[in-house]
Each structure stands twice: as C-alpha cells, then as structure tokens.
Amino acid sequence: MTPVAVRSRRSVLLGAAAASALSRLPAARAAEAFSFGLTPLFLDNDIELLSMVERYLTRRLERPVALVKRRTYHEISAMLLSGQLDAAWICDDPYVQYQDKLALLAVPLYRNKPLYQSYVIVNESSNAQSFDDIRGTVHAFSDPDSTSGYLVTRWMLALRQTTPAHFFRDSFFTYGHRNVIRAVGAGLAQSGSIDGYVWEVMIDREPELVRRTRIVFKSEWLGFPPIVAPMVIRDVPVVKALAAALLDMPTDALGREILSVLALDGFTTGTPDMYESTKKKWLIVKAQV
Amino acid sequence: MPRLLRLPAWPLTLKVPLLVAALMIAVAVMISQIVLSRLVKDQETNLTLLANAYLDGLSAAVLPAVIRGDVWETFDALDRARGQYSGVKARYALVELPNGSVLAASDPANFPIHSAVPTELRSKFLKEDGLVINDEVGRAWLTRGLRTEGFSVGRILTEIDIASLLRVRSQVVLTLILANGGLALAFSLIGYFAVKHMLQPLGVLAGYVERVREGRVEPIPERYRKKVASEFGQLFDRFNAMARALSDRETLASHLAEQEKYAMLGRLASGMAHEVNNPLGGMMNAIDTLQSHSEDPEVLSKSLDFLKRGLAGIRNVVRAALVTYKGGSDTSLLTPTDLDDLPFLVQHETGVRRLRLNWRNHVTEPLAIDGPTVRQITLNLLLNACAASPFGGEVAVDASSTDGALRIAVSDEGPGLPDNVAALLSSAGQIAAPSRDSKGLGLWTTGNLIQRLNGVAAIERSDAGTRIVVTLPISSEGARHAA
C-alpha cells in the first residue's frame, strides 16, 4: 500500500536515545521539509493527486512537504526505519514486521471501515474457480512486502505445506497492483495476487483493463495499510499535526477531493490489534521460510 | 490469309496509333518499373531506418530487465513500446534468451514466458541483426541482439506489418496504370485523327486512280491541290501529268484502231466484191436458163435453188460486213453468232490462198463480255493468220469458255511472228504504236483491244506453225445478267 513519510535531512536513528532523536526532529527546525513516503498503489502515476496531497499537507503542517516515491515497498520501509523518512503510508505487512518500532498515526476508511481484502485473480479466459485451481499457472505477485500482493497467497500455500516454486509453474513480481492486473489481463501470467481495494477502485476507472480478469479467491477482511511514523517521534507536534491533518481530511475541501480520488471515506486512529490477522499470517510464513 | 490478319495490309490510320500506343505502353512500363523499383528501395530504406530506431529504443528499454531476467519489466517495456512508434506497426515483439526460450513477449498468450521459441518462427528471422522482408505476406521480421560487456544476453525478435507500405505501392501502381493508360489512349486517339487527317490526300488520290481503272482518266482538281502538304501536292501534279499522258494515249489508240478498222474494211471490200461477184455470173446464167426453159419444172427448181444459194451467200457476206463495221451489237454480250459469221468475212482470203479454215466455235450461249470487241480481235487474228499461212495451208480457230474466261486460239502454218511484232500484241500497252506505214499496226491495235478487256495473249511457236491464244475474263455479274 501507499505510505507517506516526512523526511528530515539527517536520519532519525531508530533505537537511539529519545533525546538524541528529538533533537533532530523536523518540528525543531520549522524551515526543513517533511518527507512523506508513498509506495506504489494504483495511483503510481497520478501526478495531480500527489500535488493535491502535497498542497494539503503543506498547508496543514505549515511547512514544506516532500513526497517520496520508490519502486518497491522495501525501499520505503528501509528509508522509514533508517530515519530518511519521517512518516509513510506503508503496507500492513512491513507494519506488523516492525510493529515495535512504528507508531500508527491513521488508518484509511474504505467503505467506512479500516479494512480491506486480498484477491486472487485469473485471466477472464481461465477455467479456474477457486484458489486451488490456480495450481500450475504462471503467477504474478505484486511486491514481496505486500500483504495482499504476496503474504496472503504465500500464507495460503504455507497452509498447504507448499511454496510458490512448487505450487506455481512460474511466478514473478510486478511491483504494483495495477501491473498485476495488466500481467494477468494480457496473459503474461494466468493468475495474480492483488489488493482487493485497488481492484475494486480500478474496475470503475479502467474497466477495459480490469474486465480481462476475474476473482477466484477473496481473503478475510484485514487491517487497511496504515500511515505510520517512527515510534520515537510519535509525540512530536508535527507528527501529531500530520495525524490530525489526515483525520480532518473529510472536513476540508481539498481533503475531500483527495479522498474522492483515493475512493476513501476518511481516516481513523486505528489500533495495533487490527493487524493481528496479518501478523499471524506473517509469522506462519516466516516459520516456513 | 484474310487481308486484315496480315500486318502490312493494315491501314496507316490504324498502324500509326497502335504504334504510338505500343510505344507509350513500353515507355510507361519502363517508367513504372523505375518508379516502383525506386519506391521499393526507398520504402525498404525507410523501413530499415524506422525499424532500427524502434529497436534502438526497445533494446535500451529492455536490456536492464533482460540482464536481471525480469519477466515483468521486460514485458512492460515491450508493451509500452507498442503504439509509441507510429511508423512501425509491430504485430508482436519478444525477447529470446540465449537458451532459445521466451523471457517475455508483447503477446504473451501466443508466446508464454519461458516457453521455447517455435522453430518455424525462428526460421523467419536472421541469425544476426537485420531485417527480412516478405512482400507476399506483407510482413517483415526484425532481429536485434542484446549484448552487455561483450556477452549476448538475448535478442529481440519482432514481426512488423508492412501492409500499409504495400498498399502505398498498390496505389502507386494503380495510379501509374491509370495515368499511363489514359495517356496511351489519348495519344492513340490523337494519332488516329492526326494520321487520318494527314492521309486524306491519299484517299483523294486513290479515288482518282480508281477512276482510271474504271476507264475515266480525270486530273485531280486544283481545289484539292491547294489544301494538301507539299509532298502530296507534288504527287498530285505527277498524277495529273500521268493522267494527261494516259488520256492522250487512249485518244491516239482509239483513233488508230478506228483507222485500222476502216483500212481493213478497204482491204476486205475488194474481197467481198469478189465474193459477191463470183455467184453473180452463175446467177445470171440461172436467170437466162429460167427465161429460156421456165416451163420445165426441174430446170425451174434447180435454177431457183441455185439463185437462192447464191443470194444467201451474198447475204451472209453483206450481213457480216454490216455487223462488223456499223456496230449495233450489244457491247455487254457476246453471242455465238457474233463469232460464227466471221468465216464469211474471210472466205475471200481463204479462197484466194486455197486455205482450209478449221472453224470450231464451242461457245453455245451468250457471254458477258464486249461482243463487238471480241469479234474484232478474232477477225484481226484470223486475217493475220490467213496472210501468214502458205498457199494451200490450214488456218484453225478454236473458241471456248471455261472457268469464267473466254479462250480464243488462232493457229496457222506460217513461219511465225518476229519477236518485235509479237511484242506488239502481248505488250501493246507499254509500247508506242508503230508508224502507219510499218507492219504490225493491226497486231498493236489487237493488243490494245485485248488489254482493254483485261485479257492476255500468248504466242506459241512450233515447227507446224504459230498459235496465238487469247484469254479474256468474263464478268461474273454480266454472266448472271446474261443468263
């Protein structure tokens, strides 16, 4: 999912003394820009959306905001954990991996709930009707750090005592949920793992592309990818201001416009226990590896 | 062979436009070949340039992904390249790994990842970098190797649809055919009318030549002379000069023939007088006998019979002379009688020279030919034969009609005609008339009469004498009319 982070020029070293960390806070140097990290979602090319987010946050935080994009989730996670970003919209998988080091700032509300599902899709011409029918296909994953685009499918295989290398004829990563739809729709892969929220939003925005795919499996409801900040700076005013800006988004005209583009209803505070299910899956997969 | 099937017999008004059209078509074909050849070359050059630009971009885009073996990135690059190069209509593009398998293709349904590139497909591509064009199927196959640090990491194979190029070629061919065909047709029509106009004086000339053939010699009027080009003007002048000479000669020949006829009459008159006089003595005796012995029925009968035969002989001679020299016979017909009374005209000649006349006339029905002229020809030849024959010899005349021709053979036992005299008969049209005092005027006149009837004369000489055979065509229309 798409993380947003605020970056200071100097890294915030996780695990360092709070005082040391606080001394480097962006809030202490109002002139410095906040770095807000984003991982590729369906909006990976939506320059206008990025501009709106930047304008909204700059106004609310009263300082420049720099939006940072990288090709993979891992890059954003690493930058966040190494202090290169001050906040980020990350996937729930990296969140549960580093739950003790990351503080929840806000969780998006999709259809008024902070939840989403993982889908397994196939090409429209496929005869597959269930998850087990995709055995032997070429499978497109989204990202190794994506819950919906990798972890859930990996967990399903772990339950079956198998791995992608054995279950699928072949598999590859596309590093984007939209790319999974393209790969499956074009026939490059016969099946794919994808964020259900992305698939549902894209069916309205790119129906020709999405209709070439069909859902054969929907996971249970999982905690929506959150907006997080390093634990050590969670109480810094600017970080709190970021959380407030996100929570207040439905009350602001530009904020509502952003929510409309994202097809979200707003943000909620969220709690770590919302991600228990994701965490269990990660642990099971981790145990198998 | 029918006349129209023989090329030399075709009219110039047809041949010249056809020649123009043929030349135009030849030039058009040659120009079209040059244009098409140049077009094909240019198209191939442009296609090669476009293809290279396409492959340059594509190979730069896919190379990092190919090095990593990244299926998605490779597909993404190939997929995005579609539509980015408007000059190159790629049907598919794929990246083949060194082991012959597909890393990714723009058309993954037909070329699944990690499947082997079909052998039949691979055979269409060059082993090294380059372009293969197949005009028949409207496709081109491009190959571009992917190399890094001197090592081959795969190659791009792509099939290009060149139907649009071929369509342009077809349009150019169609345009060339229409333009050149139209030009050839236009020039042919212009050629036809121009040549027809230029050859109009020939038609005038032909018309006047035809009149000559029909016996009417007329010069071409001056009004035509002014309208034509100088070449035809000179031709008209020469024709008119020839027409005048021909007219003069015809007049002279006609005059001489008339004179000859009357000269012959003079010669015959004395013979005829003799023939008339001969029976007169006997007839006077018969009258004396009748006066003396009129009561004797036998003497009366014999005397009257004698008188009748004598008078019949005189009548025959007189009638023949009248027919010959007064005319009155139908000039379009020859009746058997026109020939049969000729012996009466020559009986004096034969009698004086004690000649035997072997007369055989096989003509039994009227023939469509100028009777008086045939009669004069035959009489002239017969008199000539009588004059040439030795005393007590035989003169034979044989007339017959076969295969649309009248054949008259006159033979004598004379020593034969000298060549120069014989030429007067057989080539009268090309030889000037002999002087009135010299011999041969009769034969020259006869030769002219034979030529007027489009006939020919053949002279056969043998130890036994001379035989002149005249063959005269009979008009088929006239024959039907006569019949």
Side-chain angles (χ1 to χ4, degrees):
Chain A
M1 290 300 292
T2 306
V4 183
V6 187
R7 185 185 71 169
S8 64
R9 282 190 190 151
R10 298 184 189 92
S11 300
V12 179
L13 297 176
L14 296 174
S20 173
L22 282 169
S23 68
R24 295 170 186 167
L25 274 175
R29 299 177 303 280
E32 287 193 8
F34 286 86
S35 283
F36 194 71
L38 295 159
T39 46
L41 200 64
F42 65 93
L43 66 164
D44 54 355
N45 285 325
D46 198 331
I47 304 298
E48 189 181 357
L49 175 67
L50 295 177
S51 168
M52 289 193 295
V53 171
E54 185 181 349
R55 276 188 285 130
Y56 177 74
L57 293 181
T58 299
R59 172 157 55 86
R60 290 298 301 257
L61 301 186
E62 297 178 338
R63 66 178 65 199
V65 173
L67 300 180
V68 178
K69 287 187 68 190
R70 288 294 180 269
R71 179 168 172 263
T72 65
Y73 289 12
H74 180 75
E75 288 170 271
I76 293 296
S77 303
M79 288 177 78
L80 186 64
L81 294 171
S82 65
Q84 294 179 65
L85 297 175
D86 293 320
W89 190 358
I90 63 170
C91 190
D92 44 329
D93 181 344
Y95 170 67
V96 298
Q97 289 183 45
Y98 306 104
Q99 211 166 14
D100 56 332
K101 295 169 184 165
L102 297 171
L104 271 176
L105 298 183
V107 180
L109 289 169
Y110 170 57
R111 294 178 181 172
N112 295 313
K113 291 179 182 174
L115 303 171
Y116 80 119
Q117 286 174 294
S118 170
Y119 289 174
V120 172
I121 57 172
V122 293
N123 188 277
E124 58 176 345
S125 63
S126 168
N127 293 323
Q129 298 297 326
S130 68
F131 184 88
D132 288 307
D133 291 341
I134 64 170
R135 181 189 290 272
T137 59
V138 174
H139 192 85
F141 290 114
S142 175
D143 189 289
D145 283 340
S146 166
T147 303
S148 55
Y150 182 71
L151 180 65
V152 173
T153 301
R154 192 73 174 76
W155 168 72
M156 292 285 284
L157 297 180
L159 294 180
R160 288 164 174 73
Q161 307 293 316
T162 186
T163 60
H166 290 97
F167 189 76
F168 298 118
R169 180 158 64 83
D170 213 330
S171 66
F172 56 85
F173 291 98
T174 66
Y175 299 98
H177 293 291
R178 185 175 178 277
N179 290 343
V180 172
I181 299 177
R182 280 177 64 202
V184 175
L188 185 67
Q190 285 83 55
S191 58
S193 299
I194 186 173
D195 186 324
Y197 152 72
V198 174
W199 195 91
E200 296 290 349
V201 171
M202 278 190 61
I203 202 163
D204 291 331
R205 300 189 181 175
E206 293 184 80
E208 289 300 317
L209 178 64
V210 180
R211 279 177 192 154
R212 287 184 222 142
T213 64
R214 179 165 54 81
I215 302 162
V216 292
F217 171 77
K218 289 183 180 180
S219 73
E220 63 190 285
W221 290 99
L222 302 166
F224 209 95
I227 287 88
V228 299
M231 189 70 82
V232 292
I233 59 169
R234 63 180 173 180
D235 294 326
V236 173
V238 70
V239 177
K240 287 183 175 294
L242 174 65
L246 294 172
L247 294 173
D248 292 345
M249 208 172 259
T251 63
D252 184 275
L254 183 57
R256 283 194 296 274
E257 204 173 338
I258 293 167
L259 290 173
S260 172
V261 173
L262 289 168
L264 294 173
D265 301 308
F267 289 86
T268 184
T269 47
T271 54
D273 60 343
M274 288 167 54
Y275 298 94
E276 276 307 304
S277 179
T278 303
K279 191 165 188 174
K280 283 178 185 170
K281 290 176 174 56
W282 175 68
L283 290 171
I284 290 171
V285 171
K286 189 181 175 188
Q288 188 190 39
V289 173
Chain B
M1 184 188 288
R3 183 176 163 78
L4 281 179
L5 293 182
R6 286 186 293 115
L7 189 61
W10 289 13
L12 276 178
T13 47
L14 189 61
K15 276 199 277 192
V16 172
L18 283 179
L19 183 65
V20 170
L23 287 174
M24 284 294 299
I25 289 168
V27 170
V29 168
M30 195 175 69
I31 290 174
S32 302
Q33 285 292 337
I34 293 170
V35 169
L36 276 181
S37 157
R38 185 60 191 263
L39 178 67
V40 169
K41 199 174 170 186
D42 285 353
Q43 281 189 332
E44 287 183 2
T45 305
N46 289 338
L47 182 63
T48 305
L49 289 172
L50 281 171
N52 280 332
Y54 167 69
L55 286 175
D56 287 345
L58 200 57
S59 58
V62 300
L63 185 59
V66 175
I67 292 169
R68 293 195 308 270
D70 190 324
V71 170
W72 168 255
E73 290 292 322
T74 305
F75 167 80
D76 192 40
L78 296 175
D79 192 45
R80 286 177 193 276
R82 288 204 288 193
Q84 287 186 359
Y85 298 85
S86 56
V88 178
K89 197 173 176 184
R91 298 188 73 239
Y92 62 80
L94 63 87
V95 172
E96 183 193 37
L97 294 172
N99 64 6
S101 67
V102 176
L103 175 63
S106 63
D107 183 6
N110 284 322
F111 306 105
I113 62 169
H114 299 156
S115 65
V117 174
T119 309
E120 186 264 334
L121 180 74
R122 189 183 285 122
S123 67
K124 293 178 179 173
F125 293 90
L126 291 175
K127 284 193 170 64
E128 64 279 8
D129 291 4
L131 176 71
V132 178
I133 295 174
N134 187 331
D135 290 344
E136 290 177 12
V137 296
R139 299 276 187 274
W141 294 277
L142 292 166
T143 309
R144 171 66 66 91
L146 297 169
R147 301 179 71 80
T148 180
E149 297 174 5
F151 292 96
S152 171
V153 293
R155 57 180 190 157
I156 299 172
L157 306 178
T158 179
E159 182 177 297
I160 307 247
D161 186 347
I162 58 169
S164 57
L165 298 183
L166 299 180
R167 213 162 26 247
V168 170
R169 275 187 218 174
S170 303
Q171 286 166 353
V172 169
V173 169
L174 185 66
T175 306
L176 285 172
I177 288 173
L178 288 178
N180 292 328
L183 282 175
L185 184 66
F187 279 110
S188 302
L189 286 175
I190 291 170
Y192 172 77
F193 288 111
V195 171
K196 192 179 175 185
H197 179 73
M198 284 191 283
L199 293 181
Q200 233 169 9
L202 273 186
V204 172
L205 187 63
Y208 279 87
V209 169
E210 181 63 17
R211 290 185 196 186
V212 171
R213 201 181 65 80
E214 291 167 356
R216 291 183 291 143
V217 181
E218 296 172 21
I220 298 171
E222 190 61 22
R223 67 174 190 277
Y224 288 123
R225 173 70 180 81
K226 291 175 181 169
K227 291 180 185 171
V228 299
S230 59
E231 295 92 338
F232 285 110
Q234 290 169 7
L235 198 59
F236 282 13
D237 289 344
R238 284 167 195 164
F239 173 82
N240 286 346
M242 188 197 73
R244 279 192 296 274
L246 197 59
S247 180
D248 291 348
R249 204 186 68 178
E250 283 289 312
T251 307
L252 176 64
S254 172
H255 185 64
L256 286 176
E258 196 66 18
Q259 282 192 340
E260 171 64 10
K261 191 167 76 174
Y262 288 107
M264 194 166 59
L265 175 62
R267 287 202 303 276
L268 282 173
S270 62
M272 285 172 61
H274 182 76
E275 291 304 313
V276 171
N277 190 51
N278 274 349
L280 282 181
M283 287 164 72
M284 290 299 291
N285 286 337
I287 291 169
D288 288 344
T289 306
L290 282 174
Q291 285 176 335
S292 306
H293 306 285
S294 58
E295 68 281 358
D296 185 344
E298 189 181 352
V299 171
L300 183 64
S301 172
K302 281 187 179 177
S303 297
L304 287 173
D305 188 47
F306 186 83
L307 279 171
K308 189 176 180 182
R309 279 189 281 116
L311 287 169
I314 291 169
R315 186 193 61 191
N316 285 341
V317 170
V318 172
R319 184 193 292 161
L322 283 172
V323 169
T324 304
Y325 297 103
K326 282 195 172 177
S329 295
D330 188 347
T331 56
S332 65
L333 278 182
L334 173 71
T335 61
T337 317
D338 288 336
L339 294 176
D340 277 340
D341 61 1
L342 290 180
F344 296 116
L345 288 176
V346 297
Q347 60 186 353
H348 173 69
E349 301 291 327
T350 55
V352 168
R353 302 177 71 85
R354 302 285 174 87
L355 298 174
R356 293 189 306 281
L357 177 59
N358 184 358
W359 181 264
R360 290 189 297 274
N361 180 12
H362 302 292
V363 177
T364 55
E365 57 184 14
L367 301 177
I369 192 166
D370 183 348
T373 305
V374 173
R375 187 180 158 85
Q376 191 176 348
I377 291 168
T378 311
L379 180 59
N380 284 0
L381 293 177
L382 188 52
L383 286 171
N384 191 63
C386 289
S389 284
F391 198 80
E394 182 180 287
V395 173
V397 175
D398 189 301
S400 61
S401 66
T402 51
D403 299 331
L406 173 64
R407 185 174 163 279
I408 296 165
V410 179
S411 56
D412 60 58
E413 294 176 349
L417 291 170
D419 286 342
N420 60 337
V421 179
L424 291 172
L425 178 65
S426 55
S427 308
Q430 290 89 48
I431 295 176
S435 69
R436 186 169 300 179
D437 298 334
S438 66
K439 291 184 178 178
L441 185 60
L443 281 178
W444 182 82
T445 306
T446 307
N448 272 312
L449 294 175
I450 292 169
Q451 197 177 45
R452 190 195 299 168
L453 297 185
N454 295 320
V456 291
I459 299 164
E460 302 166 3
R461 295 191 190 91
S462 68
D463 293 341
T466 306
R467 179 178 155 94
I468 297 172
V469 181
V470 175
T471 306
L472 303 165
I474 300 169
S475 163
S476 55
E477 288 184 11
R480 282 199 296 274
H481 176 68

Coordinates of all heavy atoms in Angstrom, one line a residue, chain A residues 45 71 138 169-175 178-180 182-184 186-190, chain B residues 68 70-73 75-77 79-80 103-109 112-115:
Chain A
N45 N 1.0 6.9 -10.9 CA 1.3 7.9 -11.9 C 0.4 9.1 -11.8 O 0.4 10.0 -12.7 CB 1.1 7.3 -13.4 CG 2.3 6.4 -13.7 OD1 3.4 6.7 -13.3 ND2 2.0 5.4 -14.4
R71 N 10.3 2.4 -6.1 CA 9.7 1.4 -6.9 C 9.1 0.3 -6.0 O 8.1 -0.3 -6.3 CB 10.7 0.8 -7.8 CG 10.3 -0.3 -8.7 CD 11.3 -0.6 -9.8 NE 11.0 -1.8 -10.5 CZ 11.5 -3.0 -10.2 NH1 12.4 -3.1 -9.2 NH2 11.2 -4.1 -11.0
V138 N 1.2 -19.6 -14.2 CA 2.3 -18.6 -14.0 C 1.6 -17.5 -13.2 O 0.5 -17.0 -13.5 CB 2.7 -18.0 -15.4 CG1 3.7 -16.8 -15.1 CG2 3.4 -19.1 -16.2
R169 N 3.8 -22.9 -11.7 CA 4.7 -23.2 -12.8 C 5.8 -22.2 -12.8 O 7.0 -22.5 -13.1 CB 4.0 -23.3 -14.2 CG 4.9 -23.6 -15.3 CD 4.1 -24.2 -16.5 NE 3.2 -23.2 -17.1 CZ 3.5 -22.3 -17.9 NH1 4.8 -22.2 -18.4 NH2 2.6 -21.4 -18.4
D170 N 5.4 -20.9 -12.6 CA 6.4 -19.8 -12.6 C 5.7 -18.7 -11.9 O 4.5 -18.6 -11.8 CB 6.7 -19.4 -14.1 CG 8.1 -19.0 -14.2 OD1 8.7 -18.4 -13.2 OD2 8.7 -19.1 -15.3
S171 N 6.6 -17.8 -11.4 CA 6.0 -16.6 -10.7 C 7.0 -15.4 -10.8 O 8.2 -15.7 -11.0 CB 5.7 -16.9 -9.3 OG 6.8 -17.1 -8.5
F172 N 6.4 -14.2 -10.8 CA 7.3 -13.1 -10.8 C 6.6 -11.9 -10.1 O 5.4 -12.0 -9.8 CB 7.7 -12.7 -12.3 CG 6.5 -12.4 -13.2 CD1 5.8 -11.2 -13.2 CD2 5.9 -13.5 -13.9 CE1 4.7 -11.0 -14.0 CE2 4.8 -13.3 -14.8 CZ 4.2 -12.0 -14.8
F173 N 7.4 -10.8 -9.8 CA 6.9 -9.7 -9.1 C 6.7 -8.5 -10.1 O 7.6 -8.3 -11.0 CB 7.8 -9.2 -8.0 CG 7.8 -10.2 -6.9 CD1 8.8 -11.2 -6.8 CD2 6.8 -10.2 -5.9 CE1 8.9 -12.1 -5.7 CE2 6.8 -11.1 -4.9 CZ 7.8 -12.1 -4.8
T174 N 5.6 -7.8 -10.0 CA 5.4 -6.7 -10.9 C 5.6 -5.4 -10.2 O 5.6 -4.3 -10.9 CB 4.0 -6.7 -11.5 OG1 3.0 -6.5 -10.4 CG2 3.6 -8.0 -12.1
Y175 N 5.7 -5.4 -8.9 CA 5.9 -4.1 -8.1 C 4.8 -3.1 -8.4 O 5.1 -1.9 -8.6 CB 7.3 -3.6 -8.3 CG 8.4 -4.6 -7.9 CD1 9.0 -5.4 -8.9 CD2 8.7 -4.7 -6.6 CE1 9.9 -6.3 -8.5 CE2 9.6 -5.7 -6.2 CZ 10.2 -6.5 -7.1 OH 11.1 -7.4 -6.8
R178 N -1.5 -2.5 -10.0 CA -2.1 -2.2 -11.4 C -1.3 -3.1 -12.4 O -1.9 -3.6 -13.3 CB -1.9 -0.8 -11.8 CG -2.5 -0.4 -13.1 CD -2.4 1.1 -13.4 NE -3.0 1.4 -14.6 CZ -2.3 1.3 -15.8 NH1 -1.1 0.9 -15.8 NH2 -2.9 1.6 -16.9
N179 N 0.0 -3.3 -12.1 CA 0.7 -4.2 -13.0 C 0.3 -5.6 -13.0 O 0.4 -6.3 -13.9 CB 2.2 -4.1 -12.7 CG 2.8 -2.7 -13.0 OD1 2.2 -2.0 -13.8 ND2 4.0 -2.4 -12.5
V180 N -0.2 -6.0 -11.8 CA -0.7 -7.4 -11.7 C -1.9 -7.6 -12.6 O -2.0 -8.6 -13.3 CB -1.1 -7.7 -10.2 CG1 -1.8 -9.1 -10.1 CG2 0.2 -7.8 -9.3
R182 N -2.5 -5.8 -15.3 CA -2.0 -5.8 -16.6 C -1.4 -7.2 -17.0 O -1.7 -7.7 -18.1 CB -1.0 -4.7 -16.8 CG -1.5 -3.3 -17.0 CD -0.3 -2.3 -17.1 NE 0.5 -2.6 -18.2 CZ 1.8 -2.2 -18.4 NH1 2.3 -1.5 -17.3 NH2 2.4 -2.4 -19.4
A183 N -0.6 -7.7 -16.1 CA 0.0 -9.0 -16.4 C -1.0 -10.1 -16.6 O -0.9 -10.9 -17.6 CB 1.0 -9.4 -15.3
V184 N -2.0 -10.2 -15.7 CA -3.0 -11.2 -15.8 C -3.9 -11.0 -17.0 O -4.3 -11.9 -17.8 CB -3.8 -11.4 -14.5 CG1 -4.9 -12.4 -14.7 CG2 -2.9 -11.7 -13.4
A186 N -3.2 -9.4 -19.8 CA -2.5 -9.7 -21.1 C -2.2 -11.1 -21.3 O -1.8 -11.5 -22.4 CB -1.2 -8.8 -21.1
G187 N -2.3 -11.9 -20.2 CA -1.9 -13.3 -20.4 C -0.5 -13.6 -20.0 O 0.0 -14.8 -20.2
L188 N 0.3 -12.6 -19.6 CA 1.7 -12.8 -19.2 C 1.7 -13.8 -18.1 O 2.5 -14.7 -18.0 CB 2.4 -11.5 -18.9 CG 3.8 -11.6 -18.6 CD1 4.6 -11.9 -19.8 CD2 4.3 -10.3 -18.0
A189 N 0.7 -13.6 -17.1 CA 0.5 -14.5 -16.0 C -0.9 -15.0 -16.1 O -1.8 -14.3 -16.6 CB 0.8 -13.9 -14.7
Q190 N -1.1 -16.2 -15.6 CA -2.5 -16.7 -15.7 C -3.3 -16.4 -14.4 O -4.5 -16.5 -14.3 CB -2.5 -18.3 -15.9 CG -2.2 -18.7 -17.3 CD -0.8 -18.7 -17.6 OE1 0.0 -19.4 -16.9 NE2 -0.3 -18.0 -18.6
Chain B
R68 N 18.6 -8.8 -15.8 CA 18.1 -9.3 -14.5 C 17.2 -10.5 -14.6 O 16.8 -11.1 -13.7 CB 17.4 -8.2 -13.7 CG 18.2 -7.0 -13.3 CD 17.4 -6.2 -12.3 NE 16.1 -5.8 -12.7 CZ 15.9 -4.7 -13.4 NH1 16.8 -3.9 -13.7 NH2 14.6 -4.4 -13.8
D70 N 14.2 -10.2 -15.6 CA 12.9 -9.7 -15.0 C 11.8 -9.8 -16.1 O 11.8 -9.0 -17.0 CB 13.1 -8.2 -14.6 CG 12.0 -7.7 -13.8 OD1 10.8 -8.1 -14.1 OD2 12.2 -6.9 -12.8
V71 N 10.9 -10.7 -15.8 CA 9.9 -11.0 -16.8 C 9.0 -9.8 -16.9 O 8.6 -9.3 -18.0 CB 9.0 -12.2 -16.4 CG1 7.8 -12.3 -17.2 CG2 9.8 -13.5 -16.4
W72 N 8.5 -9.2 -15.8 CA 7.6 -8.1 -15.8 C 8.2 -6.9 -16.5 O 7.6 -6.3 -17.3 CB 7.1 -7.8 -14.4 CG 6.3 -6.5 -14.5 CD1 6.8 -5.3 -14.1 CD2 5.1 -6.3 -15.1 NE1 5.8 -4.3 -14.3 CE2 4.8 -4.9 -15.0 CE3 4.1 -7.1 -15.7 CZ2 3.6 -4.3 -15.5 CZ3 3.0 -6.6 -16.2 CH2 2.7 -5.2 -16.1
E73 N 9.4 -6.5 -16.1 CA 10.0 -5.3 -16.6 C 10.1 -5.4 -18.1 O 10.0 -4.5 -18.9 CB 11.3 -5.0 -16.0 CG 11.2 -4.6 -14.5 CD 10.5 -3.2 -14.4 OE1 10.8 -2.3 -15.2 OE2 9.7 -3.0 -13.4
F75 N 8.4 -7.4 -20.2 CA 7.0 -7.3 -20.8 C 6.6 -5.8 -20.8 O 6.0 -5.3 -21.8 CB 6.0 -8.2 -20.0 CG 4.6 -7.9 -20.4 CD1 4.0 -8.4 -21.5 CD2 3.8 -7.0 -19.6 CE1 2.7 -8.2 -21.9 CE2 2.5 -6.8 -20.0 CZ 1.9 -7.3 -21.1
D76 N 6.8 -5.2 -19.6 CA 6.3 -3.8 -19.5 C 6.9 -2.9 -20.6 O 6.3 -2.1 -21.2 CB 6.7 -3.3 -18.1 CG 6.0 -2.0 -17.8 OD1 4.8 -1.8 -18.2 OD2 6.6 -1.1 -17.2
A77 N 8.2 -3.1 -20.8 CA 8.9 -2.3 -21.9 C 8.4 -2.6 -23.3 O 8.1 -1.7 -24.1 CB 10.4 -2.6 -21.8
D79 N 5.5 -3.9 -24.0 CA 4.1 -3.5 -24.0 C 3.9 -2.0 -24.2 O 3.1 -1.5 -25.0 CB 3.4 -3.9 -22.8 CG 1.9 -3.8 -22.9 OD1 1.3 -4.2 -23.9 OD2 1.2 -3.3 -21.9
R80 N 4.8 -1.2 -23.5 CA 4.7 0.2 -23.6 C 5.2 0.7 -25.0 O 4.8 1.7 -25.5 CB 5.5 0.9 -22.5 CG 4.9 0.8 -21.1 CD 5.9 1.4 -20.1 NE 5.4 1.1 -18.8 CZ 4.5 1.8 -18.1 NH1 3.9 2.8 -18.7 NH2 4.2 1.4 -16.9
L103 N 11.7 -14.9 -22.8 CA 11.7 -14.2 -21.5 C 10.4 -13.5 -21.3 O 9.7 -13.7 -20.3 CB 12.9 -13.2 -21.4 CG 12.9 -12.4 -20.1 CD1 13.1 -13.3 -18.9 CD2 14.0 -11.3 -20.2
A104 N 10.0 -12.8 -22.3 CA 8.7 -12.2 -22.3 C 8.4 -11.7 -23.7 O 9.3 -11.5 -24.5 CB 8.6 -11.0 -21.3
A105 N 7.1 -11.6 -24.0 CA 6.6 -11.1 -25.3 C 5.5 -10.2 -25.1 O 4.8 -10.2 -24.1 CB 6.2 -12.3 -26.1
S106 N 5.4 -9.3 -26.1 CA 4.2 -8.4 -26.1 C 2.9 -9.1 -26.2 O 1.9 -8.5 -25.9 CB 4.4 -7.3 -27.2 OG 4.3 -8.0 -28.4
D107 N 3.0 -10.3 -26.8 CA 1.8 -11.1 -27.0 C 2.0 -12.4 -26.2 O 2.2 -13.5 -26.7 CB 1.6 -11.4 -28.5 CG 0.4 -12.2 -28.8 OD1 -0.4 -12.4 -27.8 OD2 0.2 -12.6 -29.9
P108 N 1.8 -12.3 -24.8 CA 2.2 -13.5 -24.0 C 1.2 -14.7 -24.2 O 1.6 -15.8 -24.0 CB 2.0 -13.0 -22.6 CG 1.2 -11.7 -22.7 CD 1.5 -11.1 -24.0
A109 N 0.0 -14.4 -24.7 CA -0.9 -15.5 -25.0 C -0.3 -16.4 -26.0 O -0.5 -17.7 -26.0 CB -2.3 -15.0 -25.5
P112 N 4.1 -17.7 -24.4 CA 4.2 -17.7 -22.9 C 5.6 -17.6 -22.4 O 6.6 -18.0 -23.1 CB 3.6 -19.1 -22.6 CG 2.9 -19.5 -23.8 CD 3.6 -18.9 -24.9
I113 N 5.8 -17.1 -21.2 CA 7.1 -16.9 -20.7 C 7.8 -18.2 -20.5 O 7.1 -19.2 -20.1 CB 7.1 -16.1 -19.4 CG1 6.3 -16.8 -18.3 CG2 6.5 -14.7 -19.6 CD1 6.5 -16.2 -16.9
H114 N 9.1 -18.2 -20.8 CA 9.9 -19.4 -20.6 C 9.5 -20.6 -21.5 O 10.0 -21.7 -21.3 CB 9.9 -19.9 -19.1 CG 10.5 -18.8 -18.2 ND1 10.2 -18.7 -16.9 CD2 11.3 -17.7 -18.5 CE1 10.8 -17.7 -16.3 NE2 11.5 -17.1 -17.3
S115 N 8.7 -20.4 -22.5 CA 8.4 -21.4 -23.5 C 9.5 -21.3 -24.6 O 10.1 -20.2 -24.8 CB 7.0 -21.2 -24.1 OG 6.9 -20.0 -24.8

